[in-house]
Amino acid sequence: MNQLMEISVNYNTTNQQRVRITSHKEAYELIIKNWNLNIIEFQEECKVILMNKGNFVLGIFDVSKGGIDSSVVDIRIILAVALKCNATQLILVHNHPSGSLTPSNSDKNITEKLSKACDLLNLTLLDHLIITRNDYYSLNKEDNFL
């Protein structure tokens, strides 16, 4: 008999407090508390905040860790995790170790691709935040991108 591997998404319910995000500023405040600030200016990372329809946070998923100026964002992995945990809304977040908050063309392209992929699965990409230790840039707010 063949055994197939199954993706497992675990919920840590030790902290029963339900967090609700209603703005990009609240998203930044939540994510910065959950970021390793020792490497925020050294290594690029990408995370996704997974939420339900009521904007309550289901969890934060570590998408990737990269190098000094890039990290791989695999849309298929993001969507697989979102579907597995019944998320309906997402906020993509990554840091710029350089300290610059200006989105690159690559940042804009991945945002557009993820937004289109979410639409196909009836998910909503609410925002894409670029963060540094002390500030953030919202592609939704600044560029009216989403």
Side-chain angles (χ1 to χ4, degrees):
M1 173 168 37
N2 289 339
Q3 293 271 336
L4 297 177
M5 293 190 327
E6 164 122 11
I7 296 171
S8 175
V9 176
N10 296 316
Y11 293 97
N12 181 351
T13 57
T14 56
N15 182 357
Q16 295 289 331
Q17 182 182 10
R18 291 180 49 136
V19 176
R20 188 168 188 244
I21 294 177
T22 60
S23 71
H24 46 82
K25 183 177 184 205
E26 289 174 353
Y28 171 72
E29 290 168 354
L30 172 73
I31 202 74
I32 204 71
K33 289 177 190 172
N34 291 279
W35 209 277
N36 181 348
L37 296 179
N38 293 325
I39 63 170
I40 197 167
E41 295 169 348
F42 176 70
Q43 182 179 24
E44 188 165 309
E45 295 181 78
C46 181
K47 300 177 189 272
V48 65
I49 302 171
L50 303 151
M51 296 180 295
N52 68 14
K53 201 65 170 170
N55 289 355
F56 286 100
V57 175
L58 300 171
I60 298 170
F61 178 72
D62 294 332
V63 176
S64 64
K65 290 185 180 193
I68 293 170
D69 61 2
S70 67
S71 64
V72 174
V73 179
D74 191 325
I75 291 171
R76 295 167 296 185
I77 291 173
I78 293 170
L79 296 178
V81 170
L83 292 172
K84 192 77 174 178
C85 68
N86 274 345
T88 58
Q89 302 185 115
L90 315 172
I91 298 175
L92 186 65
V93 185
H94 80 282
N95 66 311
H96 278 179
S98 68
S100 169
L101 291 172
T102 304
S104 67
N105 286 336
S106 179
D107 295 337
K108 291 178 181 179
N109 288 340
I110 199 68
T111 305
E112 186 175 343
K113 286 179 183 177
L114 181 56
S115 180
K116 287 179 180 178
C118 283
D119 286 345
L120 289 173
L121 298 173
N122 204 24
L123 301 171
T124 303
L125 179 62
L126 294 175
D127 207 343
H128 179 177
L129 300 180
I130 299 169
I131 68 166
T132 62
R133 178 184 300 271
N134 300 311
D135 207 359
Y136 68 95
Y137 182 96
S138 161
L139 272 84
N140 189 3
K141 177 184 171 218
E142 305 297 336
D143 293 340
N144 296 318
F145 202 73
L146 301 172

